């Protein structure tokens, strides 16, 4: 992979004021892309992302927008167009968890997670696809646009106490595949990265407690939590021309979490 493999392109990364989105925004900037940083409420995190992107020699703007709201998404894309003319890469990263036992889950907890993780990703992906279709053939990039969903191992691993989250992630996978099938003739690539346990604020409760961390290790054959950079490097490659023949695929970045780790000890026969 060339160092400047995203040079001349603009990437929008939703939810890039922290965690995985932050790392993707900065790593794509290091690969030469200009970045649209989107944040929901963490203004300081967005400012930190802008500082690191600028330090890497790329341009950036930050736009506050709740991706669950259609008017916010339209404004986000308008701002991106105003500053950079268009975008070439969308990283559909913003996502939330609102955990509850199934019988206690309120309609509000269900809706909030589906609205952000699934409907929000649909809205951003739709606007990006509309944008990409207008792109003239580019000299330096083979596809006319790239969409990367940041999904989760929980698009295939059921997770008690997280019915809203797993449903949103399973739905995201079918959204990604259907879009990939529909948009491939327009030279638009659509893929997912499914992270496992990546050390961010979303699972701080687990990694800051030694007992819970030990239990987590039983679920990760590779025996370490992931870092946001583990995901960011894959995102850069997937958005680059080196991955030009890949569309409709999910790449699991999970240290083996999806390998049924409990069977590593021989199963029951
Ligand atoms: C969740 C994390 C969790 C990981 C592995 C992710 O999708 O957001 O909270 O640690 O899956 O279970």
């Amino acid at each position: 992979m060339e160092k400047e493999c995203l040079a001349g392109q603009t990437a929008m990364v939703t939810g890039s004021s922290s965690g995985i989105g932050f790392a993707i925004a900065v790593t794509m900037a290091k690969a030469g892309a200009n970045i649209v940083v989107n944040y929901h409420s963490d203004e300081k995190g967005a400012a930190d992302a802008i500082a690191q992107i600028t330090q890497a020699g790329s341009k950036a703007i930050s736009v506050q927008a709740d991706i669950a709201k259609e008017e916010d998404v339209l404004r986000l894309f308008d701002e991106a167009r105003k500053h950079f003319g268009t975008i070439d890469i969308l990283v559909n990263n913003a996502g939330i968890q609102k955990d509850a036992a199934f019988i206690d889950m309120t309609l509000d907890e269900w809706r909030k997670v589906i609205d952000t993780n699934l409907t929000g990703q649909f809205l951003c992906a739709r606007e990006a696809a509309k944008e990409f279709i207008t792109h003239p053939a580019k000299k330096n990039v083979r596809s006319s646009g790239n969409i990367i969903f940041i999904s989760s191992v929980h698009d295939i691993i059921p997770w008690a106490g997280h019915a809203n989250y797993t449903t949103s992630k399973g739905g995201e996978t079918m959204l990604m595949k259907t879009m990939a099938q529909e948009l491939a003739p327009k030279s638009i690539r659509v893929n997912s990265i499914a992270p496992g346990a990546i050390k961010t604020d979303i699972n701080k409760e687990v990694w800051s407690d030694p007992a819970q961390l030990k239990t987590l290790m039983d679920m990760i054959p590779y025996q370490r939590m992931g870092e946001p950079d583990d995901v960011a490097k894959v995102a850069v490659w997937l958005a680059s021309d080196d991955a030009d023949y890949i569309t409709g695929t999910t790449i699991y970045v999970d240290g083996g979490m999806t390998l049924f780790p409990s069977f590593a000890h021989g199963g029951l026969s």
Side-chain angles (χ1 to χ4, degrees):
M1 192 161 65
E2 282 171 48
K3 204 160 172 274
E4 290 282 295
C5 62
L6 302 182
Q9 301 199 59
T10 299
M12 176 186 285
V13 187
T14 65
S16 45
S17 52
S18 69
I20 292 173
F22 188 110
I24 292 175
V26 173
T27 310
M28 286 193 166
K30 288 181 182 159
N34 293 324
I35 309 290
V36 179
V37 170
N38 155 252
Y39 68 100
H40 180 268
S41 37
D42 184 1
E43 208 177 331
K44 183 182 174 304
D48 290 348
I50 298 276
Q52 291 198 25
I53 292 163
T54 315
Q55 207 182 2
S58 289
K59 295 197 187 95
I61 56 162
S62 73
V63 184
Q64 188 288 327
D66 178 351
I67 59 151
K69 294 186 181 144
E70 189 170 27
E71 63 273 22
D72 281 26
V73 171
L74 297 181
R75 180 171 49 76
L76 171 62
F77 277 77
D78 280 346
E79 288 294 318
R81 267 189 296 268
K82 214 185 290 168
H83 284 82
F84 294 117
T86 188
I87 64 160
D88 307 280
I89 298 161
L90 167 70
V91 183
N92 239 343
N93 166 75
I96 56 169
Q97 275 183 229
K98 290 204 175 293
D99 312 332
F102 183 66
I103 56 171
D104 298 327
M105 189 172 283
T106 63
L107 182 57
D108 188 54
E109 285 164 339
W110 172 265
R111 279 196 176 136
K112 282 229 162 72
V113 171
I114 299 292
D115 282 357
T116 298
N117 296 13
L118 190 55
T119 309
Q121 303 233 2
F122 153 72
L123 289 170
C124 294
R126 188 191 62 189
E127 291 314 302
K130 283 201 268 184
E131 187 68 29
F132 296 162
I133 282 170
T134 68
H135 285 169
K138 297 182 206 165
K139 281 194 216 97
N140 57 336
V141 190
R142 297 183 76 178
S143 67
S144 58
N146 257 288
I147 298 174
I148 299 174
F149 287 82
I150 304 302
S151 167
S152 165
V153 289
H154 297 295
D155 73 331
I156 54 169
I157 304 180
W159 196 11
H162 304 74
N164 46 4
Y165 186 79
T166 54
T167 303
S168 73
K169 295 298 173 182
E172 234 180 275
T173 298
M174 284 312 286
L175 173 61
M176 177 277 289
K177 287 190 179 188
T178 304
M179 286 181 61
Q181 188 192 60
E182 196 167 330
L183 298 170
K186 307 269 182 212
S187 300
I188 297 172
R189 296 199 290 116
V190 190
N191 292 288
S192 290
I193 297 175
I198 309 295
K199 205 170 177 185
T200 67
D201 283 350
I202 212 167
N203 47 25
K204 191 168 183 184
E205 198 192 311
V206 176
W207 54 261
S208 51
D209 170 11
Q212 288 193 60
L213 187 60
K214 193 166 173 293
T215 309
L216 180 64
M217 284 310 126
D218 292 339
M219 301 175 190
I220 308 176
Y222 206 59
Q223 293 293 293
R224 71 165 173 91
M225 285 192 82
E227 298 292 336
D229 265 2
D230 288 315
V231 179
K233 287 175 191 159
V234 176
V236 168
W237 172 76
L238 194 52
S240 79
D241 263 3
D242 284 354
D244 188 60
Y245 207 49
I246 300 181
T247 195
T249 290
T250 298
I251 299 180
Y252 289 87
V253 181
D254 69 348
M257 197 175 225
T258 40
L259 296 175
F260 296 93
S262 53
F263 276 80
H265 311 293
L268 287 178
S269 63

